[in-house]
Amino acid sequence: MAKIAQYAYLGGECVDIVDAKISIASSAVLYGLSIYTVFFAKDLGRGTMQAFRLPEHYDRLVKSSRMIGMDNLETYYSYDDFLAVIRQLVQKNDLVGDHFFRFTVHAVEILPGVRTSGLTLSLSAFVYEAKNILPRDDAHIKTSLWRRTADCAIPARAKVNGAYVNSALAKQEALDAGCDDCLFLNQHGFVSELSAANIFLIKEGVLITPDASSDILEGITRKTIIELALEHGYRVIERKVALTEVYTADEVFACGTSAFVAPITKVDGRKIGIGESGPMTLEFRSKLENIHADTNSSMMTRL
Ligand code: PMP
C-alpha cells in the first residue's frame, strides 16, 4: 500500500489525516456523492516539486461538479484557492519523493435525500506516495464480465466517487483471476477503458483509442499522449474499438495519472504483439517521464 502523508486538508484547514472525517449521514457517504481528481507531482530534489497539468485537473473538477449538478464549484474554490491548498500541503508535509494529490469535493449535507443541487460542499485533499497501480512492464489484463457504467446512467466523464464501485467490481474480478487489471467493454460491447486508466492500441504505427462516446473518462494523460503523438507526426484515431482489435494489436498500453504509461503484454491470456513492452509504448512512456522532469515544460506547475 502506498504511504499516505500525515497532513490532509478539510473544511478550510490542514488537519492530521486521522482527523479528516466527514459524517456517516452525509450524501458523500450515503450516495458516494463526491467528485474528485488525482494529479501527479514530481520531486525535483532540494525541496522543489512540480505538478502535471494542474489547470486541466482543476477544470475537470469544475466540469465534473457541473455535470452532476453540484452548483458553482468555481465560486467556492477558484484555481488560486486550489493552488494555495496544494502548496500548503507540500509545506506542511515536508514531502520527499514523487506524490499523488487527491482532491475531492464532498456533498456534506446531512440527510438531504437523493438530490445533487443546493447542497453544502466541502473540499478535502490528501497526499500519498506515487506508486504505480500497474506493473511498470508486462501488465496482464482480463476483459470484465461487468460492463462500464453507461454515460447515460452515471456520467462517465465525471469523476464521481460512487461510480467507482463499477471499477472496484471489475478490478477485483481481474485480481481474483491473477491479472493486474480489468478491461471494460461498454454496454454496446465496444472497448472502453481499464479500472482507472485509458487504453491505446498501436497497429502499423497508428495509435487507436476508444472515442469520447465509448463511456470513457476523458483522461488527462490520454489527451497528453494524443497531443504528443500528433506533435511527433503519428496518426491518432479515436473511434469505437472491438475487443478482437485489441487481441491483434502490435502494442497495447494503458495510461493514466496512477498508471503513467503501462505496457500491456497479455489480454485474456493472449499474447499481444511480441509479448514484451513495444518500442512505441516505451517511446511514449519516456516522453511522459521527460515532461514530468522538465522544469521548462508548460505542462508542469511549480509547487
Ligand atoms: N479512466 C478512469 C476510470 C480513471 O479513474 C482514470 C484516472 N483518473 C483514467 C481513466 C485516467 O485519467 P487521467 O489520465 O486523467 O488520470
Side-chain angles (χ1 to χ4, degrees):
M1 267 224 290
K3 199 166 157 270
I4 192 163
Q6 184 181 357
Y7 292 101
Y9 179 91
L10 182 67
E13 54 181 357
C14 280
V15 292
D16 195 294
I17 186 77
V18 296
D19 298 321
K21 295 174 182 157
I22 56 175
S23 168
I24 58 169
S26 64
S27 293
V29 173
L30 292 178
Y31 315 124
L33 206 53
S34 303
I35 48 123
Y36 80 98
T37 196
V38 176
F39 63 83
F40 174 71
K42 176 90 188 159
D43 183 357
L44 300 170
R46 282 177 272 116
T48 44
M49 294 192 97
Q50 58 180 12
F52 183 59
R53 306 207 90 160
L54 267 193
E56 285 84 353
H57 279 278
Y58 175 75
D59 185 58
R60 182 165 68 189
L61 209 53
V62 168
K63 287 190 176 136
S64 289
S65 71
R66 271 192 215 157
M67 253 180 288
I68 68 161
M70 285 178 166
D71 318 305
N72 303 326
L73 177 64
E74 64 272 45
T75 59
Y76 297 99
Y77 302 107
S78 66
Y79 178 72
D80 288 344
D81 296 333
F82 178 64
L83 194 54
V85 172
I86 298 164
R87 291 189 167 138
Q88 232 176 303
L89 285 173
V90 171
Q91 282 182 2
K92 189 87 179 157
N93 284 301
D94 209 3
L95 299 175
V96 176
D98 300 342
H99 281 79
F100 292 132
F101 285 65
R102 184 169 176 126
F103 271 72
T104 312
V105 181
H106 308 275
V108 289
E109 192 107 359
I110 306 298
L111 286 181
V114 276
R115 62 190 177 88
T116 63
S117 292
L119 306 176
T120 311
L121 303 179
S122 181
L123 178 76
S124 81
F126 63 88
V127 190
Y128 57 107
E129 189 190 4
K131 272 201 170 169
N132 199 329
I133 52 166
L134 288 173
R136 184 167 162 81
D137 284 291
D138 206 20
H140 295 183
I141 61 173
K142 172 196 178 303
T143 305
S144 180
L145 296 172
W146 300 97
R147 293 286 169 106
R148 189 77 185 124
T149 316
D151 186 54
C152 60
I154 300 176
R157 57 180 57 71
K159 282 183 82 68
V160 185
N161 277 11
Y164 279 80
V165 172
N166 184 226
S167 287
L169 287 169
K171 173 100 181 186
Q172 187 61 55
E173 179 195 342
L175 295 175
D176 291 346
C179 291
D180 302 299
D181 206 341
C182 61
L183 175 61
F184 270 123
L185 305 182
N186 65 9
Q187 76 275 23
H188 304 297
F190 291 106
V191 172
S192 182
E193 58 181 342
L194 279 71
S195 64
N198 293 111
I199 187 168
F200 278 85
L201 325 183
I202 296 169
K203 283 197 182 213
E204 296 173 355
V206 177
L207 286 92
I208 302 167
T209 193
D211 65 4
S213 59
S214 295
D215 302 290
I216 61 166
L217 177 84
E218 290 173 79
I220 292 167
T221 321
R222 174 184 179 277
K223 172 182 146 109
T224 307
I225 298 291
I226 293 173
E227 288 172 1
L228 287 172
L230 295 176
E231 210 177 284
H232 289 85
Y234 290 109
R235 235 182 114 209
V236 181
I237 308 175
E238 297 176 67
R239 61 162 170 81
K240 309 257 167 285
V241 174
L243 178 59
T244 47
E245 292 186 87
V246 180
Y247 294 162
T248 53
D250 301 325
E251 299 179 33
V252 175
F253 67 85
C255 70
T257 299
S258 336
F260 302 97
V261 170
I264 294 170
T265 52
K266 229 176 219 187
V267 180
D268 298 334
R270 292 158 173 87
K271 189 165 90 174
I272 301 300
I274 54 166
E276 288 171 17
S277 305
M280 276 180 66
T281 301
L282 294 180
E283 184 188 330
F284 283 103
R285 180 164 80 190
S286 73
K287 284 191 196 316
L288 184 67
E289 289 174 351
N290 290 343
I291 292 170
H292 287 161
D294 181 357
T295 49
N296 293 317
S297 171
S298 58
M299 293 187 208
M300 304 303 293
T301 303
R302 189 64 70 93
L303 301 181

